[in-house]
Amino acid sequence: MAGGYDDRDGVIWMDGKLVDWRDANVHILTHALHYASSVFEGERCYDGKVFKSRQHSERLLKSGELMDMAIPYTVDEIEAAKRATLDANKLTNAYLRVVAFRGAGEDMGVAASRNPIRMAVTAWEWGNYYGDAKMKGAKLDIAKWKRPSPETIPVAAKAAGLYMICTMSKHAAEAKGCSDAMFLDYRGYVAEATGANIFFVKDGEVHTPLADAILNGLTRQTVIGMLKDRQIKVHERHIMPEELEGFEQCWLTGSAAEVTPVGSIGDYNFEVGALVRDIAEGYEKLVRA
Ligand SMILES: Cc1ncc(COP(=O)(O)O)c(C=O)c1O
């Protein structure tokens, strides 16, 4: 049985070197710990190949740019770091977490241009993100917090600061016996879950929130492509919460979540129907193709 995430066997790639898992530590005055100057990626490796690996590395660099934090590695260097981490840990099916952050240095105020930008790559075996929800459908709460406006924070960045409301909302959801929470955005439109995008089915067509205040997930984009290949109409649009009543099926997408059916959101119920099963199975095949 694995211990806490800081107490495991294996190695972690940190700033260009593979270090023992338990020695992959940072100083308490690391800028990211105080001011959330951190961006990250969550990816999955299937049978030795990281799905959409380069796109994840490109998004990491983009997130850094959006946060005024130039990550001092190229996509090729990030790819090599991921490969080295998987190989050193002898992993072929794994979850990868790549994180880039402002370290400790000359500055300890909000501005920190003199502090180094650091990067680490970790990987471990990780099963279904929502446990047995893949069969039964996940139970979702509706978060009291709202996804912020793009004028408030760079919403396209996969940045640590955006996850503050996710942790709080997921804790509240778990306290009610739910596996996750769905957010509305600052305008009141249906947005996304705490770590996954959301899709709905009505009359054989699919509806998903427009990616103007959510993370435009790589799995979301993959699944939209799969639906289009199946000649299924996809409406990327603003969705009002009142519309939930009329939707028949619902699912979540994410690198960790993969394609997970949703059984309920608050008082609204959905069937784990033929389309969601088809897309979940199709995605499982695609990632291993
Ligand atoms: C808030 C949020 N939305 C959506 C996603 C799905 O993104 P992707 O499919 O690129 O993993 C994630 C996961 O990274 C996320 O954290």
Side-chain angles (χ1 to χ4, degrees):
M1 181 73 184
Y5 277 96
D6 58 347
D7 185 18
R8 292 184 173 202
D9 296 330
V11 290
I12 287 178
W13 187 101
M14 224 176 161
D15 305 315
K17 288 192 211 82
L18 289 167
V19 300
D20 188 86
W21 192 285
R22 294 177 183 82
D23 296 333
N25 299 315
V26 295
H27 193 271
I28 200 69
L29 293 179
T30 292
H31 192 268
L33 276 177
H34 300 255
Y35 305 112
S37 46
S38 164
V39 295
F40 66 100
E41 281 299 317
E43 319 177 23
R44 278 192 193 264
C45 178
Y46 298 93
D47 297 340
K49 192 161 174 268
V50 180
F51 187 62
K52 304 271 176 205
S53 191
R54 290 191 78 82
Q55 288 95 322
H56 278 287
S57 299
E58 283 160 9
R59 185 169 69 185
L60 184 79
L61 295 183
K62 185 76 198 164
S63 296
E65 228 176 79
L66 288 166
M67 296 270 296
D68 194 22
M69 212 175 86
I71 299 170
Y73 296 98
T74 63
V75 168
D76 285 338
E77 287 167 339
I78 300 170
E79 290 300 293
K82 289 193 278 193
R83 180 45 47 206
T85 308
L86 288 166
D87 291 349
N89 289 292
K90 297 186 173 52
L91 289 167
T92 49
N93 287 290
Y95 177 82
L96 287 108
R97 177 55 63 91
V98 184
V99 62
F101 58 98
R102 273 191 208 278
E106 300 295 308
D107 292 316
M108 198 42 219
V110 172
S113 54
R114 292 180 298 172
N115 290 17
I117 309 292
R118 306 184 57 186
M119 192 173 88
V121 183
T122 55
W124 63 89
E125 281 176 3
W126 217 17
N128 288 343
Y129 188 65
Y130 291 110
D132 62 1
K134 277 212 164 156
M135 304 307 296
K136 295 193 310 194
K139 191 172 166 205
L140 264 51
D141 185 28
I142 299 180
K144 74 168 187 182
W145 300 97
K146 306 281 186 284
R147 295 306 299 174
S149 149
E151 290 179 343
T152 300
I153 199 160
V155 293
K158 194 163 161 59
L162 279 150
Y163 287 84
M164 193 175 88
I165 54 172
C166 296
T167 300
M168 291 190 289
S169 302
K170 199 155 174 174
H171 285 170
E174 286 178 353
K176 294 181 199 166
C178 296
S179 350
D180 202 357
M182 184 196 77
F183 287 105
L184 304 180
D185 72 16
Y186 66 105
R187 298 161 296 191
Y189 297 134
V190 169
E192 60 185 336
T194 62
N197 293 116
I198 195 156
F199 287 75
F200 301 96
V201 181
K202 189 180 178 186
D203 299 331
E205 297 188 347
V206 172
H207 303 257
T208 192
L210 195 62
D212 60 357
I214 56 171
L215 190 72
N216 184 5
L218 296 171
T219 322
R220 174 185 183 276
Q221 295 169 47
T222 302
V223 163
I224 289 174
M226 289 170 63
L227 291 161
K228 290 186 174 164
D229 287 347
R230 287 164 167 73
Q231 320 289 327
I232 294 170
K233 204 157 190 172
V234 182
H235 304 271
E236 290 181 68
R237 63 175 180 88
H238 291 144
I239 298 173
M240 293 301 292
E242 301 80 66
E243 293 183 60
L244 294 181
E245 189 156 20
F247 292 134
E248 297 142 12
Q249 298 176 50
C250 174
W251 69 76
L252 299 174
T253 65
S255 301
E258 300 170 305
V259 176
T260 300
V262 172
S264 65
I265 304 176
D267 294 333
Y268 303 106
N269 294 306
F270 310 97
E271 56 159 332
V272 181
L275 186 56
V276 57
R277 284 186 200 283
D278 176 42
I279 295 298
E281 278 167 28
Y283 183 77
E284 267 178 44
K285 285 202 190 100
L286 184 68
V287 295
R288 293 177 193 278

